[in-house]
Amino acid sequence: MEIKEYRITLPVSVEEYKIGQLYAVAEASKNETGGGEGIEVVVNEPYSDHAKYGSGQYTHKVFHLSKKVPSVIRLLAPKGSLEVHEKAWNAYPYCRTEYSNPYMSDNFYIYIDTWHREGEGEENVHKLTAEELGNRVVVDIDISDNNCVAPSDYKEDEDPTKFHSKKTGRGPLDCEGEWKKNDHWPKMTCYKLYQVQFKWWGLQTKFFHLTLLGS
């Protein structure tokens, strides 16, 4: 199993981020599925007093991928192999998301635990064990660094190094990360912990990186 924790610091408060979260999730879902095609919403309802995830909104979606692969693969693929199930417990500022595939069963799963916390620099937000901490790889993501953005993914109107908010007076962000030292701006960090299991010899590591790029 691969374990990576991504840390993304933003110039907003936890409460401010909550307002834009639903919009961002909806846009990402639409972009990945061609305007919503192929998504089946099985359950979308509030939940309460969950033993692990508290109270919030539970969703169960099925991503039907058959239209995204060549027809020859659709004909040969075993039943259930072209479906990905997403189950999410959104109890902001915490969220748990699980991905699975009926065909691969326990040989494939992705668990994503996300905490949104004020400030930055917490070392064990997810309360991992000593063994898990030993296997964890931490990646700090600087949203003002465009070097890792592919030209095809770049959108000038979404570039934080060029955007200035008239409402809050924040931005644009400098490219060297100096904006984090601005004590007049609120700061919060999104801690996203990925645990990926993909038992397919020779492909697990490659699949892990593709998953992170697409999330």
Side-chain angles (χ1 to χ4, degrees):
M1 180 174 65
E2 299 273 353
I3 302 177
K4 278 194 177 181
E5 181 179 311
Y6 287 77
R7 299 177 181 176
I8 309 155
T9 301
L10 304 171
V12 296
S13 68
V14 170
E15 189 60 31
E16 287 174 328
Y17 185 81
K18 179 181 180 180
I19 298 173
Q21 185 192 39
L22 292 178
Y23 170 79
V25 170
E27 282 297 296
S29 178
K30 182 179 69 175
N31 291 337
E32 286 300 312
T33 56
E37 182 182 14
I39 300 179
E40 176 190 354
V41 179
V42 181
V43 181
N44 183 11
E45 62 186 19
Y47 69 92
S48 60
D49 301 325
H50 191 285
K52 291 184 178 180
Y53 312 134
S55 302
Q57 189 74 12
Y58 170 72
T59 59
H60 176 191
K61 302 176 184 178
V62 180
F63 294 82
H64 299 281
L65 307 180
S66 60
K67 292 184 179 180
K68 285 182 164 290
V69 301
S71 57
V72 64
I73 294 181
R74 290 200 297 269
L75 292 172
L76 297 175
K79 183 179 180 180
S81 62
L82 297 179
E83 291 183 358
V84 174
H85 288 246
E86 177 196 85
K87 296 181 180 180
W89 295 261
N90 191 339
Y92 191 86
Y94 173 76
C95 183
R96 167 78 169 199
T97 306
E98 300 179 353
Y99 293 94
S100 61
N101 175 268
Y103 177 71
M104 295 192 69
S105 187
D106 292 339
N107 289 323
F108 166 79
Y109 61 77
I110 303 172
Y111 298 154
I112 307 173
D113 292 286
T114 304
W115 269 110
H116 305 85
R117 298 287 189 94
E118 300 287 357
E120 57 182 318
E122 294 188 56
E123 284 305 313
N124 193 11
V125 169
H126 299 284
K127 294 181 170 52
L128 301 180
T129 65
E131 181 180 357
E132 290 170 334
L133 287 172
N135 294 327
R136 180 191 65 175
V137 175
V138 175
V139 179
D140 289 300
I141 296 179
D142 183 356
I143 64 170
S144 64
D145 183 1
N146 288 325
N147 291 326
C148 296
V149 180
S152 59
D153 293 331
Y154 178 79
K155 296 180 180 179
E156 186 173 355
D157 60 343
E158 296 179 0
D159 187 342
T161 66
K162 296 184 177 181
F163 177 77
H164 173 74
S165 171
K166 295 180 180 179
K167 184 176 182 179
T168 66
R170 300 169 211 157
L173 307 186
D174 61 272
C175 300
E176 303 298 327
E178 289 295 316
W179 64 269
K180 293 183 180 181
K181 299 178 182 179
N182 189 329
D183 294 331
H184 300 292
W185 292 356
K187 285 183 283 293
M188 63 144 276
T189 299
C190 177
Y191 300 85
K192 300 185 75 70
L193 182 75
Y194 284 75
Q195 299 180 72
V196 178
Q197 175 80 317
F198 186 57
K199 288 185 178 180
W200 196 329
W201 187 84
L203 291 179
Q204 175 164 315
T205 301
K206 291 182 180 179
F207 179 81
F208 178 75
H209 293 301
L210 288 172
T211 300
L212 298 181
L213 288 174
S215 63

